[in-house]
Amino acid sequence: MRAIATREDIRDLILDATDRLLARNGYKKMTMDDLAQEVGIGKGTIYLHFPSKEELVLSHVDRIVERLKGELLKIAREEGPPAARLRRMLLIRVMFRFDSVQHYTESLSDLLAALRPGLLARRRRHFEEEAEVLAAVLREGRRGGDFDFKEERSAARTLLTATNALLPYSLSARELGGREELEAEATRVVEMLLKGLLARTNSVGVSVEGHEV
């Protein structure tokens, strides 16, 4: 018996096709007709899920961040030193976004410019959700004497603000560069941030990776 597609299945198929068309045509050239043909459904079905092309692509961004948040939560719940987990979380929030859009970097600047008002509102929500996950690890580290700061939510926002400069929204396609280059830069930034968080008793002799500094 053939499985019946659920509403969420169809929504994911539409968003998957959106990703492919953004890579192939860019935001300006992508049409709802193209999308309907790519998915193999009527255009009216797409409008049942997404009222406009802008809302469709913003929902695509939402899905990227939801998947990222799942990765952050998974790391936050693991065992091990809070500093090492926090390091991985900050790096992955940069690299996960890069990996999610690097296949259409040629059209990335146009996409971000076209969606700027909607993205600004969503970014605030996305970053608050990420800050909540980071704050839990910061709180754990402070209780264990690993970190020294006044308030975990403010500390989490500061970490996000510092690493936001490396996200696709903040850099042009050319400035993003290659993956290895971006990862090396992100690593340097994260190491500096975490050294500033480490309590004095832990800041001499051991880095967040467990190596001497």
Side-chain angles (χ1 to χ4, degrees):
M1 181 180 295
R2 185 177 181 180
I4 299 174
T6 66
R7 182 178 177 85
E8 283 303 308
D9 289 337
I10 295 172
R11 190 176 188 276
D12 278 334
L13 287 173
I14 294 171
L15 292 176
D16 289 343
T18 298
D19 184 66
R20 294 194 298 273
L21 288 181
L22 285 173
R24 192 183 310 156
N25 302 333
Y27 178 74
K28 290 182 178 179
K29 293 182 180 179
M30 186 182 80
T31 68
M32 296 300 244
D33 287 319
D34 292 336
L35 186 59
Q37 184 175 358
E38 181 77 15
V39 183
I41 59 177
K43 187 166 65 172
T45 302
I46 295 176
Y47 282 114
L48 287 175
H49 294 265
F50 306 99
S52 65
K53 184 171 82 167
E54 178 180 350
E55 182 61 30
L56 168 65
V57 179
L58 287 172
S59 296
H60 171 53
V61 174
D62 285 341
R63 188 173 68 159
I64 290 173
V65 178
E66 279 300 311
R67 290 174 173 175
L68 166 62
K69 200 169 83 169
E71 292 298 314
L72 295 178
L73 284 167
K74 185 165 64 176
I75 296 171
R77 292 164 180 164
E78 290 176 356
E79 297 182 359
R85 279 181 281 148
L86 195 59
R87 177 185 186 276
R88 288 173 57 203
M89 292 166 74
L90 290 171
L91 282 174
I92 200 172
R93 77 177 299 262
V94 173
M95 301 313 301
F96 191 96
R97 283 178 167 91
F98 176 84
D99 290 338
S100 297
V101 301
Q102 60 87 25
H103 55 297
Y104 51 86
T105 50
E106 289 185 7
S107 61
L108 184 59
S109 296
D110 288 339
L111 168 65
L112 296 176
L115 299 177
R116 182 175 175 80
L119 274 175
L120 285 174
R122 274 169 157 82
R123 272 165 58 92
R124 283 190 287 271
R125 174 170 57 83
H126 293 157
F127 293 160
E128 282 301 310
E129 291 173 354
E130 289 179 70
E132 184 178 350
V133 182
L134 293 180
V137 178
L138 285 165
R139 190 181 308 116
E140 179 186 344
R142 184 173 61 179
R143 287 174 179 168
D146 298 313
F147 298 143
D148 182 18
F149 56 86
K150 291 183 178 179
E151 200 277 316
E152 63 265 11
R153 196 68 182 227
S154 295
R157 291 194 185 102
T158 299
L159 293 174
L160 293 182
T161 299
T163 49
N164 282 349
L166 299 168
L167 302 187
Y169 185 88
S170 303
L171 299 174
S172 68
R174 185 174 63 180
E175 289 169 333
L176 276 172
R179 192 183 195 282
E180 290 184 6
E181 180 184 357
L182 178 63
E183 188 170 22
E185 182 65 22
T187 299
R188 286 191 290 270
V189 170
V190 170
E191 294 287 356
M192 291 180 67
L193 290 169
L194 291 183
K195 284 179 183 178
L197 277 174
L198 290 173
R200 290 196 175 190
T201 55
N202 291 329
S203 62
V204 178
V206 180
S207 79
V208 294
E209 293 182 284
H211 301 299
E212 292 187 356
V213 294

